[in-house]
Amino acid sequence: MEVAISLYLDDNLSPKIAVQLRQRGIDAISVHELGLTGDTDDNHLQRAIESGRVLVSADSDFLIMVANGMNHVGIIFGNQSRLSLGDWVNRLELVCRVYQAQDMVNHIEYL
């Protein structure tokens, strides 16, 4: 089954998640790998939009941004304290295999 969603992991998530997702055939990048840790949330969201990637984060600031009308290609939000690294990997893989890119436009998926 082809995976149609590409992921952009925010700097509050371990880059190990992106590595493990790629091992499962998921197109995922981490801001850690890009050398962009500490960049603003606005820049991260804009970069995700420009690259056609769904933003993955545990930072509720992104939820506020989209509640204020910011369009996006998708956001996946999870609670850092409740999810282990394995939980993140398994749940993100499931989302990527179930949804199509067009399903995620202006959609927030909660893990």
Side-chain angles (χ1 to χ4, degrees):
M1 173 189 238
E2 177 135 352
V3 178
I5 296 176
S6 298
L7 303 177
Y8 180 97
L9 280 69
D10 189 22
D11 53 0
N12 57 18
L13 298 176
S14 170
K16 293 177 184 178
I17 296 170
V19 171
Q20 289 187 24
L21 286 168
R22 287 194 299 271
Q23 291 172 349
R24 296 178 182 201
I26 308 295
D27 180 7
I29 58 170
S30 167
V31 299
H32 295 274
E33 297 165 326
L34 299 172
L36 297 169
T37 57
D39 203 354
T40 67
D41 291 343
D42 286 326
N43 286 344
H44 285 310
L45 185 57
Q46 191 59 42
R47 198 172 296 109
I49 292 167
E50 290 170 358
S51 63
R53 292 177 177 274
V54 172
L55 179 86
V56 182
S57 184
D59 183 348
S60 61
D61 290 345
F62 291 108
L63 303 179
I64 295 166
M65 291 167 67
V66 299
N68 289 325
M70 180 80 146
N71 289 319
H72 53 92
V73 296
I75 293 177
I76 301 173
F77 179 82
N79 185 311
Q80 190 84 332
S81 63
R82 288 193 217 158
L83 299 172
S84 69
L85 188 128
D87 291 334
W88 279 98
V89 173
N90 289 331
R91 292 178 186 193
L92 289 170
E93 179 184 18
L94 179 62
V95 169
C96 290
R97 296 201 185 280
V98 170
Y99 286 103
Q100 296 295 311
Q102 65 269 19
D103 298 329
M104 292 300 296
V105 174
N106 292 320
H107 172 74
I108 301 171
E109 185 69 23
Y110 296 89
L111 298 182

